[in-house]
Amino acid sequence: MDGLCGLAVSLARIPPRLPLFCFLSRRLWRLRCGRDAVEGVGDDVGLRSSSRSRSSSAWRNGVRGESGVSDDDLASEVLSHYSSASESASVIEEGEVVDEQTAQEETEDKLKQCIDNLMDKSAKTRLAALESLRLAFSSRVLYEFLLERRFTISDCLERSLKKGGGEEQAAAATVCALLCMQLGGGVEGEEGFKMLCPILSSILIDSFASLSARQSCARALGMCCYVSASDDAEDLLKSIGHLESVFVGAYPLGDGTLPSVKAGIPALHSAALQSWALLCTLCPASRINTILNHHMPRLHACLESSEVNFRIAVGETIALLYELGRDIDQFEYEDCDALCDSLKNLATDGNKHRAKNDRRKQRSIFREVLHYIENEDFTEEKIQFGIEAIYIDGWMRRRIYDAFKEVLESGVRHHLQFNPLLRDIFGLGPPLILDASVKASKISRTERHLFNSAAFKARTKLRNKVRDKRADVM
C-alpha cells in the first residue's frame, strides 16, 4: 500500500514530455522486484494469472490510469507483459531445429512460386523466375524437391526455349543443364535429356537464333549429354555431330586461310568446341582414332585465329586429344614439330596490339600445352572444398571440372561436397557425414591424391569397356 501511495505522489511529478506508459512500466517493474523479494516469485505468478483477464480488457479499451482501472490491475498487466516476453524468448532459443525446418519450407514455397511464374504471360516475370531457379539449383542439392516436379519444370523450360526471346532461351538452356545435374545420371535425368535434347540441338544449329541462346545451348547440350546420356552411343553420336557442325565453321577454307566471321561467332565456336571436347572423353577407342586423324590438322590451323579465347580453347582441346590418344595407344601427330613451333610462338607472344591480360593468359595456357606435348608434363592443381580436395592432374580431368564450374559457377564446391553425381564422377564416394573426431583426423595430401586418381582412372576404364562393346555403332 505504501508503494502505491508513493506511485500516486510520483505521478504528480511526471515531466509533461515523458510518456505516462513508459514511466508506469519502469515504476511498476521496480514494484514487482520489491514484491518478489518479500512475497516470493510464486505468489507473484499467481497474482498475474488471477488478474490478467480483468486488466487486459482495460488496456484494450485504451485506459491509461483512468478512475475505472485499479493500480493492482495496472501492475498485473505490466508484469504479464514482461512474463510473456520472457516466455517467447525461451521458445525461440529452444526451437532452432524448428526454425531450420521452417526456413526449408519457406525456400520450397519460393521455388514453387518460381515454377508457377515460368508459365506467366510476362516475359520479364518468366526471366526473373529462371534466374531465381538458376541461383537455387547452383547453390544447393534439391533432388527430393525436383523429383516429383521434373516433368512440370521440363515442360516450362521447353516452352521458354521454343517461344521465348534470345535472353529467355539462354537462361532456360542454363537451367536445363542444372536440372539434369540435379537429377543425376539415372532414369530421371535420362527422361529430362530425351525431352530437352531435340530443342537444344535445333536452337544450336539455327543460324537465325540469338548468338547468346546458341552459345548457352551448346554448353547445355554438352553437359546434359555428358550427365544423362553418357552410356547411350546413339545420343552421344548425335550430340557430337551437332556440336561439330557449329565449330567447323572456324576451320580453314580450301586454300588454307581461315574464314572471316561476324562478331560474337568466335564465342559460339569456343562453347561448341569445349562441349565437344567434353563429350570426346566418353568416346570409345575406335572413335578417338577417327577424331584424331580428322580434327588434329584442322585444329592446328585454327591456332592462327585472331580471337584469343578461341585460340586458347583450341590449344586446350589439342592437349586433351593428345592425352586421349596416349591413353589408348602411343599416339604421335605426324606434324608434331610444326605444332610445337606454333605453340612456342603463342607461349612467347608479345604483340602490343593485344591486351596485356590476354597476352598473359595466352602465354600461361600455351606453356602448359607445349610442356605436355613435348614432355607429358602437366601442372597439377588442387581444388579444396571442406576437408576434402580433388587434384586436377590431366587435361581430361580439367575439361570435366571446368565444364561443371562454367554451369555451377560459385556453387561448384558445394556440389562437390553433397551432389552424388559429381562425387561419383570425381571418385569421391558418398557425401561425408562428419563429427568432431572425424574432422580432426585428416588423411594426408598424398593419400587423397592417390585415391582420387585411382578412382577416376578405374571409373574411366570401366565405362570405356562398356562403350567398346558398342563401338560398331559409333
Side-chain angles (χ1 to χ4, degrees):
M1 195 63 187
D2 293 338
L4 294 177
C5 292
L7 174 62
V9 174
S10 301
L11 288 174
R13 302 175 182 174
I14 299 176
R17 296 179 182 177
L18 182 65
L20 179 60
F21 175 73
C22 297
F23 174 81
L24 288 175
S25 298
R26 292 197 299 269
R27 181 68 179 174
L28 292 175
W29 178 252
R30 297 191 188 100
L31 286 176
R32 178 200 174 192
C33 296
R35 188 175 300 171
D36 286 347
V38 177
E39 301 177 1
V41 178
D43 295 337
D44 183 59
V45 174
L47 175 64
R48 291 199 304 272
S49 61
S50 62
S51 59
R52 184 172 300 174
S53 60
R54 291 183 290 108
S55 59
S56 59
S57 62
W59 280 97
R60 283 195 299 270
N61 293 328
V63 180
R64 295 184 179 182
E66 296 180 2
S67 58
V69 181
S70 66
D71 291 334
D72 287 340
D73 291 340
L74 189 59
S76 297
E77 182 61 33
V78 175
L79 298 179
S80 298
H81 170 74
Y82 281 104
S83 175
S84 300
S86 62
E87 290 171 1
S88 62
S90 64
V91 170
I92 293 175
E93 292 174 358
E94 294 173 358
E96 293 179 356
V97 177
V98 177
D99 289 345
E100 184 178 350
Q101 182 178 356
T102 303
Q104 178 68 19
E105 293 175 354
E106 290 177 354
T107 300
E108 292 185 358
D109 289 340
K110 291 178 181 178
L111 289 174
K112 292 175 185 177
Q113 184 61 49
C114 289
I115 295 172
D116 292 338
N117 289 343
L118 292 178
M119 295 175 280
D120 195 88
K121 293 182 179 180
S122 170
K124 185 177 180 180
T125 302
R126 295 195 303 271
L127 194 60
L130 288 169
E131 177 62 16
S132 298
L133 290 178
R134 184 190 70 81
L135 293 173
F137 290 0
S138 62
S139 61
R140 63 187 68 191
V141 178
L142 299 166
Y143 175 79
E144 297 295 337
F145 174 80
L146 295 174
L147 187 61
E148 59 185 16
R149 299 172 178 85
R150 63 187 187 277
F151 293 116
T152 301
I153 298 175
S154 298
D155 287 338
C156 294
L157 293 176
E158 186 178 15
R159 188 180 299 109
S160 292
L161 288 169
K162 287 181 176 179
K163 299 181 179 181
E167 189 177 2
E168 183 178 348
Q169 288 178 323
T174 301
V175 176
C176 288
L178 289 167
L179 179 63
C180 288
M181 202 179 301
Q182 289 276 351
L183 296 176
V187 176
E188 297 84 5
E190 291 179 6
E191 291 173 345
F193 175 74
K194 295 287 187 183
M195 181 182 297
L196 298 172
C197 176
I199 184 63
L200 290 174
S201 300
S202 64
I203 295 174
L204 171 65
I205 62 178
D206 183 5
S207 59
F208 296 101
S210 164
L211 285 178
S212 62
R214 295 179 68 191
Q215 184 176 342
S216 185
C217 285
R219 298 194 186 282
L221 180 63
M223 177 56 66
C224 292
C225 184
Y226 182 83
V227 169
S228 304
S230 58
D231 291 330
D232 191 321
E234 184 177 356
D235 287 336
L236 181 62
L237 178 61
K238 287 181 180 179
S239 298
I240 287 177
H242 290 315
L243 293 166
E244 278 184 1
S245 68
V246 174
F247 69 80
V248 294
Y251 278 1
L253 302 174
D255 58 358
T257 61
L258 295 177
S260 59
V261 294
K262 299 179 181 179
I265 294 293
L268 172 62
H269 290 165
S270 298
L273 180 62
Q274 289 170 337
S275 292
W276 176 83
L278 175 68
L279 297 185
C280 283
T281 64
L282 302 176
C283 292
S286 58
R287 183 68 181 181
I288 293 297
N289 287 326
T290 303
I291 289 173
L292 291 171
N293 294 329
H294 178 74
H295 289 278
M296 279 297 294
R298 294 165 176 80
L299 289 173
H300 179 188
C302 287
L303 291 175
E304 302 298 325
S305 171
S306 60
E307 295 291 332
V308 61
N309 289 325
F310 181 64
R311 285 199 306 272
I312 290 174
V314 170
E316 292 177 334
T317 302
I318 289 174
L320 183 142
L321 293 178
Y322 252 85
E323 184 177 82
L324 290 173
R326 285 169 173 169
D327 285 346
I328 296 171
D329 197 0
Q330 292 298 321
F331 167 75
E332 286 296 336
Y333 177 46
E334 59 184 12
D335 205 5
C336 185
D337 292 338
L339 175 62
C340 290
D341 290 339
S342 300
L343 295 174
K344 286 177 184 177
N345 292 333
L346 292 170
T348 57
D349 184 14
N351 290 333
K352 298 298 183 180
H353 68 275
R354 292 185 180 131
K356 185 176 181 180
N357 289 336
D358 289 345
R359 293 200 308 269
R360 184 184 298 114
K361 182 179 179 181
Q362 175 181 286
R363 288 196 296 263
S364 174
I365 293 294
F366 281 103
R367 278 197 299 267
E368 293 185 37
V369 175
L370 180 62
H371 290 164
Y372 179 76
I373 291 178
E374 289 183 334
N375 308 314
E376 298 189 36
D377 182 24
F378 183 87
T379 304
E380 184 182 90
E381 180 184 0
K382 177 183 178 182
I383 308 297
Q384 183 80 39
F385 50 96
I387 68 166
E388 299 175 278
I390 59 173
Y391 293 88
I392 309 301
D393 55 1
W395 291 100
M396 181 171 63
R397 198 169 173 87
R398 173 180 282 185
R399 176 86 290 273
I400 295 170
Y401 174 76
D402 286 346
F404 281 105
K405 186 178 179 181
E406 287 162 2
V407 177
L408 292 169
E409 297 181 351
S410 60
V412 65
R413 296 177 188 268
H414 176 83
H415 279 262
L416 283 172
Q417 282 185 278
F418 303 108
N419 191 322
L421 171 70
L422 268 71
R423 295 185 66 85
D424 176 52
I425 289 173
F426 289 98
L428 295 169
L432 300 182
I433 302 176
L434 303 178
D435 55 20
S437 61
V438 175
K439 290 181 180 180
S441 58
K442 298 181 181 179
I443 62 175
S444 67
R445 175 181 181 276
T446 303
E447 290 174 333
R448 286 198 302 268
H449 171 55
L450 293 175
F451 174 79
N452 289 339
S453 298
F456 186 78
K457 290 179 180 179
R459 178 180 179 274
T460 302
K461 290 180 180 179
L462 178 61
R463 296 177 74 174
N464 281 336
K465 287 181 181 179
V466 176
R467 295 185 199 103
D468 283 338
K469 297 178 181 178
R470 295 189 297 271
D472 54 338
V473 179
M474 304 296 288

PDB file of all heavy atoms in Angstrom, residues 272-287:
ATOM      1  N   ALA A 272      30.984 -24.414 -78.378  1.00  0.00           N
ATOM      2  CA  ALA A 272      30.709 -25.691 -79.049  1.00  0.00           C
ATOM      3  C   ALA A 272      31.933 -26.603 -79.005  1.00  0.00           C
ATOM      4  O   ALA A 272      31.810 -27.819 -78.768  1.00  0.00           O
ATOM      5  CB  ALA A 272      30.274 -25.441 -80.487  1.00  0.00           C
ATOM      6  N   LEU A 273      33.122 -26.043 -79.210  1.00  0.00           N
ATOM      7  CA  LEU A 273      34.349 -26.847 -79.193  1.00  0.00           C
ATOM      8  C   LEU A 273      34.610 -27.420 -77.811  1.00  0.00           C
ATOM      9  O   LEU A 273      34.989 -28.599 -77.672  1.00  0.00           O
ATOM     10  CB  LEU A 273      35.522 -25.984 -79.643  1.00  0.00           C
ATOM     11  CG  LEU A 273      36.894 -26.666 -79.677  1.00  0.00           C
ATOM     12  CD1 LEU A 273      36.900 -27.827 -80.673  1.00  0.00           C
ATOM     13  CD2 LEU A 273      37.991 -25.660 -80.026  1.00  0.00           C
ATOM     14  N   GLN A 274      34.402 -26.640 -76.763  1.00  0.00           N
ATOM     15  CA  GLN A 274      34.642 -27.126 -75.399  1.00  0.00           C
ATOM     16  C   GLN A 274      33.638 -28.211 -75.013  1.00  0.00           C
ATOM     17  O   GLN A 274      34.014 -29.196 -74.354  1.00  0.00           O
ATOM     18  CB  GLN A 274      34.585 -25.955 -74.419  1.00  0.00           C
ATOM     19  CG  GLN A 274      35.779 -25.019 -74.538  1.00  0.00           C
ATOM     20  CD  GLN A 274      35.594 -23.740 -73.739  1.00  0.00           C
ATOM     21  OE1 GLN A 274      34.479 -23.317 -73.434  1.00  0.00           O
ATOM     22  NE2 GLN A 274      36.710 -23.091 -73.397  1.00  0.00           N
ATOM     23  N   SER A 275      32.373 -28.056 -75.401  1.00  0.00           N
ATOM     24  CA  SER A 275      31.391 -29.111 -75.129  1.00  0.00           C
ATOM     25  C   SER A 275      31.701 -30.371 -75.921  1.00  0.00           C
ATOM     26  O   SER A 275      31.539 -31.496 -75.427  1.00  0.00           O
ATOM     27  CB  SER A 275      29.975 -28.613 -75.461  1.00  0.00           C
ATOM     28  OG  SER A 275      29.572 -27.602 -74.567  1.00  0.00           O
ATOM     29  N   TRP A 276      32.137 -30.194 -77.151  1.00  0.00           N
ATOM     30  CA  TRP A 276      32.541 -31.337 -77.975  1.00  0.00           C
ATOM     31  C   TRP A 276      33.713 -32.072 -77.329  1.00  0.00           C
ATOM     32  O   TRP A 276      33.741 -33.313 -77.282  1.00  0.00           O
ATOM     33  CB  TRP A 276      32.905 -30.832 -79.359  1.00  0.00           C
ATOM     34  CG  TRP A 276      33.443 -31.862 -80.307  1.00  0.00           C
ATOM     35  CD1 TRP A 276      32.721 -32.734 -81.073  1.00  0.00           C
ATOM     36  CD2 TRP A 276      34.822 -32.114 -80.612  1.00  0.00           C
ATOM     37  NE1 TRP A 276      33.557 -33.519 -81.835  1.00  0.00           N
ATOM     38  CE2 TRP A 276      34.856 -33.157 -81.578  1.00  0.00           C
ATOM     39  CE3 TRP A 276      36.021 -31.566 -80.188  1.00  0.00           C
ATOM     40  CZ2 TRP A 276      36.039 -33.649 -82.099  1.00  0.00           C
ATOM     41  CZ3 TRP A 276      37.212 -32.054 -80.713  1.00  0.00           C
ATOM     42  CH2 TRP A 276      37.223 -33.089 -81.652  1.00  0.00           C
ATOM     43  N   ALA A 277      34.708 -31.325 -76.826  1.00  0.00           N
ATOM     44  CA  ALA A 277      35.853 -31.950 -76.153  1.00  0.00           C
ATOM     45  C   ALA A 277      35.413 -32.709 -74.907  1.00  0.00           C
ATOM     46  O   ALA A 277      35.948 -33.785 -74.598  1.00  0.00           O
ATOM     47  CB  ALA A 277      36.888 -30.881 -75.790  1.00  0.00           C
ATOM     48  N   LEU A 278      34.415 -32.159 -74.181  1.00  0.00           N
ATOM     49  CA  LEU A 278      33.886 -32.862 -73.005  1.00  0.00           C
ATOM     50  C   LEU A 278      33.292 -34.209 -73.406  1.00  0.00           C
ATOM     51  O   LEU A 278      33.538 -35.229 -72.742  1.00  0.00           O
ATOM     52  CB  LEU A 278      32.825 -31.993 -72.331  1.00  0.00           C
ATOM     53  CG  LEU A 278      32.072 -32.615 -71.150  1.00  0.00           C
ATOM     54  CD1 LEU A 278      33.010 -32.823 -69.957  1.00  0.00           C
ATOM     55  CD2 LEU A 278      30.896 -31.741 -70.744  1.00  0.00           C
ATOM     56  N   LEU A 279      32.535 -34.239 -74.491  1.00  0.00           N
ATOM     57  CA  LEU A 279      31.918 -35.497 -74.925  1.00  0.00           C
ATOM     58  C   LEU A 279      32.940 -36.455 -75.518  1.00  0.00           C
ATOM     59  O   LEU A 279      32.717 -37.675 -75.518  1.00  0.00           O
ATOM     60  CB  LEU A 279      30.801 -35.214 -75.941  1.00  0.00           C
ATOM     61  CG  LEU A 279      29.622 -34.392 -75.421  1.00  0.00           C
ATOM     62  CD1 LEU A 279      28.536 -34.291 -76.473  1.00  0.00           C
ATOM     63  CD2 LEU A 279      29.048 -35.006 -74.135  1.00  0.00           C
ATOM     64  N   CYS A 280      34.044 -35.934 -76.023  1.00  0.00           N
ATOM     65  CA  CYS A 280      35.097 -36.821 -76.536  1.00  0.00           C
ATOM     66  C   CYS A 280      35.671 -37.702 -75.437  1.00  0.00           C
ATOM     67  O   CYS A 280      36.173 -38.808 -75.712  1.00  0.00           O
ATOM     68  CB  CYS A 280      36.216 -36.007 -77.169  1.00  0.00           C
ATOM     69  SG  CYS A 280      35.827 -35.362 -78.810  1.00  0.00           S
ATOM     70  N   THR A 281      35.630 -37.253 -74.191  1.00  0.00           N
ATOM     71  CA  THR A 281      36.134 -38.071 -73.083  1.00  0.00           C
ATOM     72  C   THR A 281      35.282 -39.319 -72.854  1.00  0.00           C
ATOM     73  O   THR A 281      35.712 -40.223 -72.134  1.00  0.00           O
ATOM     74  CB  THR A 281      36.182 -37.244 -71.787  1.00  0.00           C
ATOM     75  OG1 THR A 281      34.848 -36.863 -71.404  1.00  0.00           O
ATOM     76  CG2 THR A 281      37.021 -35.993 -71.958  1.00  0.00           C
ATOM     77  N   LEU A 282      34.087 -39.370 -73.470  1.00  0.00           N
ATOM     78  CA  LEU A 282      33.204 -40.537 -73.323  1.00  0.00           C
ATOM     79  C   LEU A 282      33.313 -41.510 -74.484  1.00  0.00           C
ATOM     80  O   LEU A 282      32.737 -42.597 -74.439  1.00  0.00           O
ATOM     81  CB  LEU A 282      31.742 -40.076 -73.206  1.00  0.00           C
ATOM     82  CG  LEU A 282      31.394 -39.131 -72.063  1.00  0.00           C
ATOM     83  CD1 LEU A 282      29.933 -38.704 -72.170  1.00  0.00           C
ATOM     84  CD2 LEU A 282      31.645 -39.786 -70.714  1.00  0.00           C
ATOM     85  N   CYS A 283      34.015 -41.126 -75.534  1.00  0.00           N
ATOM     86  CA  CYS A 283      34.037 -41.941 -76.750  1.00  0.00           C
ATOM     87  C   CYS A 283      34.922 -43.175 -76.592  1.00  0.00           C
ATOM     88  O   CYS A 283      35.945 -43.143 -75.891  1.00  0.00           O
ATOM     89  CB  CYS A 283      34.545 -41.113 -77.928  1.00  0.00           C
ATOM     90  SG  CYS A 283      33.418 -39.815 -78.435  1.00  0.00           S
ATOM     91  N   PRO A 284      34.569 -44.269 -77.261  1.00  0.00           N
ATOM     92  CA  PRO A 284      35.419 -45.459 -77.257  1.00  0.00           C
ATOM     93  C   PRO A 284      36.669 -45.254 -78.086  1.00  0.00           C
ATOM     94  O   PRO A 284      36.804 -44.283 -78.830  1.00  0.00           O
ATOM     95  CB  PRO A 284      34.517 -46.538 -77.859  1.00  0.00           C
ATOM     96  CG  PRO A 284      33.546 -45.791 -78.696  1.00  0.00           C
ATOM     97  CD  PRO A 284      33.308 -44.484 -78.003  1.00  0.00           C
ATOM     98  N   ALA A 285      37.601 -46.188 -77.978  1.00  0.00           N
ATOM     99  CA  ALA A 285      38.913 -46.051 -78.624  1.00  0.00           C
ATOM    100  C   ALA A 285      38.796 -45.914 -80.138  1.00  0.00           C
ATOM    101  O   ALA A 285      39.510 -45.110 -80.757  1.00  0.00           O
ATOM    102  CB  ALA A 285      39.785 -47.250 -78.268  1.00  0.00           C
ATOM    103  N   SER A 286      37.901 -46.684 -80.750  1.00  0.00           N
ATOM    104  CA  SER A 286      37.785 -46.624 -82.209  1.00  0.00           C
ATOM    105  C   SER A 286      37.350 -45.238 -82.677  1.00  0.00           C
ATOM    106  O   SER A 286      37.806 -44.740 -83.716  1.00  0.00           O
ATOM    107  CB  SER A 286      36.774 -47.677 -82.692  1.00  0.00           C
ATOM    108  OG  SER A 286      35.515 -47.466 -82.076  1.00  0.00           O
ATOM    109  N   ARG A 287      36.491 -44.597 -81.923  1.00  0.00           N
ATOM    110  CA  ARG A 287      36.027 -43.260 -82.285  1.00  0.00           C
ATOM    111  C   ARG A 287      37.139 -42.223 -82.074  1.00  0.00           C
ATOM    112  O   ARG A 287      37.265 -41.276 -82.855  1.00  0.00           O
ATOM    113  CB  ARG A 287      34.806 -42.901 -81.445  1.00  0.00           C
ATOM    114  CG  ARG A 287      34.197 -41.557 -81.779  1.00  0.00           C
ATOM    115  CD  ARG A 287      33.561 -41.575 -83.147  1.00  0.00           C
ATOM    116  NE  ARG A 287      32.994 -40.289 -83.506  1.00  0.00           N
ATOM    117  CZ  ARG A 287      32.364 -40.024 -84.644  1.00  0.00           C
ATOM    118  NH1 ARG A 287      32.215 -40.987 -85.531  1.00  0.00           N
ATOM    119  NH2 ARG A 287      31.876 -38.823 -84.896  1.00  0.00           N
TER     120      ARG A 287
END
